[in-house]
Amino acid sequence: MILGRGVLSAGRAALLRRPKLSVARNLQYDAFVDRHIGPRRLEQQQMLDFIGYKDLDDLTGTNVPNMIKIENPLELPSALDEYKMLKELETIAAENKIYRSYIGMGYYDTIVPAVISRNILQNIGWISQYTPYQAEISQGRLESLLNFQTMIAEMTGLPTTNASLLDEATASAEAVALAARTTKRSKVVVDSFCHPQNLDVIKTRSGPLGIEIELSDAVEAYEFDDKVAAVVVQYPNTEGRVHQFDELIEKAHSNGSLVIMVCDLLSLTILRSPGDLGADIAVGSAQRFGVPLGYGGPHAGFMAVAKTDAKNLLGRNMPGRIIGVTK
């Protein structure tokens, strides 16, 4: 817990007026409960006494505004056993409507061979001997992430990639922020034929950062000015159309603006790569390579960037983790 100096000072002043708890909890470090569950009521009260508060309600009352407090007890339904809970979830899931997925819009059904599911997705060797949230995860998992980065670099034609982001929409918003950071400009032009989920997240994430988003129905004819940090295009677009962006990319670069291409990863097996076209940043989703739809995700998003200068500025400012090979 991090407390401001004012709270800590008041707490220490109150400490002089409060009796100190002298009872110590007898921890059994070889017991799972004592290692993983805590703090208990005694530890909570010791911390509260130290900072000068009577109880947790007293502490939160000084930090949580009254206008957002819920004073009444939550109206929660009665608890269910496992069987009834599963039946209720099945009932809720049955209300989902299943539609056929056509080209466009960014999500596509996939077929994953059983041999892949059994020997890779269900193979505990990928995530042992360590648990996956730790930094010291298994060599196999690190190798698979390195393979992922290598595949993205080869398919996008851009040399620096990361080991995935949350999904395509998040990656698009991160690319917009990356462009604004590196160019020191505040406006980004976005093709209105990007997928709607990408447009929504770009708008939501850009507002607090002070990045102006301008939608364009004819992005190839857009007249750039010196405020434009980047232009964002979907490739293919949300209607499934494929446009050649050679002239747009050349015009953007002549203005000092970056080009962000939001790509369909599977389409890059036959289309010209963003690197071949001269794009600076490529983002997209790896859902195309076998991840189930899952009612919208999340899926592994990717980002790849060009080396535009000797310092590799885009690569150094790229978000997410990068798996490297030691020498």
Side-chain angles (χ1 to χ4, degrees), residues 43 54 56 59 63 67 89-90 100 108 120 135 151 156 158-159 163 168 193 201 264 282 286 291 295 301 304:
E43 286 87 4
K54 179 178 66 174
L56 288 176
L59 172 61
N63 296 279
M67 61 184 298
L89 290 177
E90 288 177 2
R100 185 178 297 278
Y108 310 92
I120 295 182
M151 176 191 72
T156 60
L158 298 172
E168 181 177 295
F193 289 97
V201 178
D264 180 311
V291 183
Y295 295 98

Side-chain angles (χ1 to χ4, degrees), residues 166-173 195 197-198 234 262-263 283-285 299 301:
L166 181 65
D167 57 13
E168 181 177 295
T170 304
S172 301
H195 297 324
Q197 64 270 18
N198 297 344
Q234 192 87 41
V262 189
C263 310
V283 295
S285 172
H299 304 108

Side-chain angles (χ1 to χ4, degrees), residues 10 15 57 70 86 103 124 145 165 169-170 184 188 202 237 241 244 248 251 261 272 286 298:
L15 181 61
D57 289 338
I70 300 176
L86 291 174
I103 189 170
I124 195 62
L145 291 172
L165 295 163
T170 304
K184 310 299 183 185
V188 173
I202 287 174
N237 69 17
R241 301 177 186 273
Q244 297 299 325
L248 173 66
K251 186 163 62 172
M261 297 190 73
R272 291 176 63 192

Side-chain angles (χ1 to χ4, degrees), residues 195-215:
H195 297 324
Q197 64 270 18
N198 297 344
L199 293 175
D200 287 343
V201 178
I202 287 174
K203 292 176 185 175
T204 301
R205 295 279 293 273
S206 298
L209 297 176
I211 302 173
E212 177 189 352
I213 300 299
E214 183 175 339
L215 295 182

